[in-house]
Amino acid sequence: MRVLFGYDASRSAMDAVDTAGRLLPGASATVLFLWEPPFASAELRQRLASRAQSVDRLIDLLEDEGRAEAERLVAQGVVLARAAGWDAEPRVERSFNEGYQLARIAEQDAFDVIVLGSRGMGGAQALLGSTSDLVVHVSRVPVLVVPAALMSAERAAAGSGPILIAFDGSPGAEAAAAAAERLFPGRELERVTTAPEGEAHAEGEATLVPLRGRAGSARAVGGTLTEYAAERGAGAIVVGSRGRSASRELLLGSVAKAVLHHAHRPVLVVPHPRSA
């Protein structure tokens, strides 16, 4: 399995690699650090400016120091990835747009999954957080987002808890289930669907969880899924990026977003088959 790990040296990224290593043991990982000049600290930039004899020379110095700092930081990420059990190698790239660039590299180099922390800072701009949202929307490979501030039990569950698949019978949900089988071999997989209490459903072997909230609300569906995941001690939640109408209490992009922003455990977002 080939993992593209978006690393930015933030606490969120450091925590993410430990948790992701439990979910994806033994993976081959590329630790990607994206940087954008001027990457050096303000103090270092002042020192460089005092030494540069021209603007062109200052630009060259900033470029050299920025790349050197990025390479130093990505090396730390590789150490963490190897400690998590991954066969890891570093990669440093100049950034033009973190979210699109992560998605493009993952697609072009045929990675199986992108791993991101939910929040962080990369270079002079945010790499994770708003960028993780963008990656989830545009990526054509599955994206595993690891939330910040997990409790020890939630982190431990990543290595042993069941993998819950939000399921509504749509092509998007089928793609999510197939991705879960491929990325989490040997793990317990449970398909889960929601509906108002007393309403029949016909989603095969999926576990029916009564909707906890207003019918037709994507937020209620997402909340129901995340609460059930907590009750089950789930290792991760798998959602498709799109599904059926939220009016049927089933998976939709807005539901995937609700799960991403409220789950206290990793969330794997799988692109719709038409975009993959």
Side-chain angles (χ1 to χ4, degrees):
M1 182 190 309
R2 300 185 65 234
V3 171
L4 180 63
F5 174 42
Y7 181 74
D8 64 358
S10 68
R11 179 58 185 268
S12 176
M14 294 177 187
D15 289 344
V17 68
D18 175 71
T19 303
R22 300 169 190 247
L23 277 167
L24 307 168
S28 175
T30 294
V31 181
L32 175 65
F33 194 101
L34 300 176
W35 70 283
E36 179 179 354
F39 185 64
S41 66
E43 182 179 359
L44 181 55
R45 291 200 300 271
Q46 290 177 356
R47 292 184 61 198
L48 295 175
S50 68
R51 296 185 180 187
Q53 298 177 344
S54 66
V55 173
D56 286 343
R57 179 55 180 159
L58 176 59
I59 291 173
D60 290 341
L61 289 172
L62 288 171
E63 184 82 16
D64 292 343
E65 291 296 330
R67 174 165 284 278
E69 178 70 359
E71 290 176 349
R72 182 182 70 82
L73 292 174
V74 78
Q76 296 175 358
V78 169
V79 170
L80 293 172
R82 290 174 178 169
W86 286 348
D87 179 14
E89 63 178 12
R91 180 169 175 175
V92 172
E93 297 278 353
R94 280 281 301 267
S95 173
F96 59 87
N97 182 298
E98 289 92 343
Y100 286 109
Q101 196 167 355
L102 278 163
R104 187 191 68 174
I105 290 171
E107 180 182 2
Q108 289 182 342
D109 293 354
F111 283 94
D112 297 303
V113 61
I114 299 171
V115 173
L116 298 171
S118 61
R119 291 197 299 271
M121 295 296 293
Q125 298 183 6
L127 170 61
L128 308 176
S130 59
T131 300
S132 61
D133 289 340
L134 177 58
V135 174
V136 164
H137 279 87
V138 303
S139 176
R140 296 190 176 187
V141 303
V143 181
L144 180 69
V145 180
V146 181
L150 292 180
M151 295 183 181
S152 57
E154 294 162 345
R155 196 178 305 280
S160 58
I163 307 299
L164 303 189
I165 305 164
F167 193 78
D168 63 6
S170 68
E174 293 287 0
E181 293 177 0
R182 183 174 67 253
L183 295 174
F184 307 117
R187 295 290 291 267
E188 177 187 354
L189 304 179
E190 179 182 355
R191 299 186 181 196
V192 179
T193 192
T194 68
E197 192 165 2
E199 181 176 303
H201 79 109
E203 304 304 343
E205 299 299 321
T207 301
L208 174 61
V209 180
L211 183 67
R212 304 167 187 179
R214 179 174 59 84
S217 167
R219 185 173 182 178
V221 177
T224 300
L225 292 171
T226 57
E227 289 176 17
Y228 181 71
E231 293 168 5
R232 289 280 285 120
I237 304 173
V238 182
V239 296
S241 60
R242 285 186 292 167
R244 295 179 184 169
S245 167
S247 65
R248 296 183 60 184
E249 326 311 334
L250 299 170
L251 190 61
L252 191 67
S254 55
V255 174
K257 183 176 181 180
V259 172
L260 273 169
H261 285 266
H262 295 97
H264 296 297
R265 59 203 66 246
V267 178
L268 180 74
V269 181
V270 179
H272 191 274
R274 286 196 296 271
S275 63

